[in-house]
Amino acid sequence: MKKFDHGQEHRDDGMVLIQTNLDDMNPEYCPYITDRLLEKGANDVYWIPILMKKGRPGLMLNVLTDGLLLSEIETVIFEETTTLGLRYMPVSCSRLGRNFEKVSTPWGAITVKTGYKAGKLVHFAPEHEDCAKAAREHGIPIKQVYEYVRAIYISQKSL
């Protein structure tokens, strides 16, 4: 399997979506499990609230990973959750080229993540952690930081 520079637009084949439904696990474990899976190399981890048989509330764990990491990811899921089995779906992922740029603000530099399709800018977003840090340190609403950074970025790029 060819590995790609994630800064470049590409398609990842050989990816796997792993799913399991859980109705007997403390949901407070979810953030910890998510962190462990990401540390092992999972590309994405998300939880969906579901209703299971007999109307029991539960969670569906979804993990997107490279097929080469299945063994490590499975180990974390089986060790950290109450599941007895997993579902696997092969998937391909199309990814935009990515870049990170800094925008100067009255609260310090904020990183903006950009996405490119065929060399054209098609998406940009201020980095949440930078915005949250600025908001906390300066006692301002995070939405004010986001809106300011987006406006400055747009004006600089003449979008």
Side-chain angles (χ1 to χ4, degrees):
M1 169 181 296
K2 182 178 178 186
K3 289 294 173 193
F4 295 94
D5 170 10
H6 282 283
Q8 301 298 314
E9 182 180 343
H10 66 279
R11 181 180 171 111
D12 279 334
D13 295 312
M15 301 293 290
V16 177
L17 180 62
I18 305 168
Q19 290 183 334
T20 189
N21 296 345
L22 304 157
D23 66 353
D24 59 349
M25 186 183 87
N26 183 340
E28 291 179 332
Y29 301 160
C30 295
Y32 176 80
I33 295 166
T34 297
D35 289 346
R36 289 236 22 234
L37 291 165
L38 292 171
E39 288 165 5
K40 288 294 183 183
N43 288 72
D44 196 12
V45 178
Y46 59 98
W47 302 82
I48 301 173
I50 57 176
L51 282 178
M52 297 179 59
K53 64 183 172 234
K54 301 179 184 176
R56 292 191 310 256
L59 294 169
M60 178 192 296
L61 169 61
N62 295 267
V63 182
L64 178 65
T65 189
D66 186 308
L68 298 174
L69 298 175
L70 272 181
S71 180
E72 292 179 65
I73 298 297
E74 287 171 340
T75 298
V76 172
I77 295 171
F78 283 124
E79 286 179 353
E80 297 290 353
T81 74
T82 57
T83 192
L84 297 174
L86 303 172
R87 291 183 295 279
Y88 304 90
M89 289 155 278
V91 296
S92 294
C93 300
S94 181
R95 301 183 193 266
L96 295 175
R98 299 178 205 166
N99 194 16
F100 297 89
E101 300 176 36
K102 293 284 187 183
V103 170
S104 294
T105 76
W107 316 291
I110 304 285
T111 304
V112 175
K113 185 188 314 183
T114 58
Y116 293 86
K117 175 78 174 155
K120 179 184 174 191
L121 178 66
V122 295
H123 177 75
F124 69 93
E127 283 290 293
H128 173 78
E129 290 302 320
D130 288 2
C131 292
K133 180 180 177 196
R136 274 192 295 277
E137 288 178 358
H138 296 277
I140 57 174
I142 193 169
K143 66 182 178 180
Q144 181 179 340
V145 178
Y146 266 87
E147 291 167 5
Y148 184 89
V149 172
R150 287 187 54 82
I152 292 298
Y153 188 80
I154 288 169
S155 71
Q156 290 175 349
K157 294 298 177 182
S158 300
L159 299 176

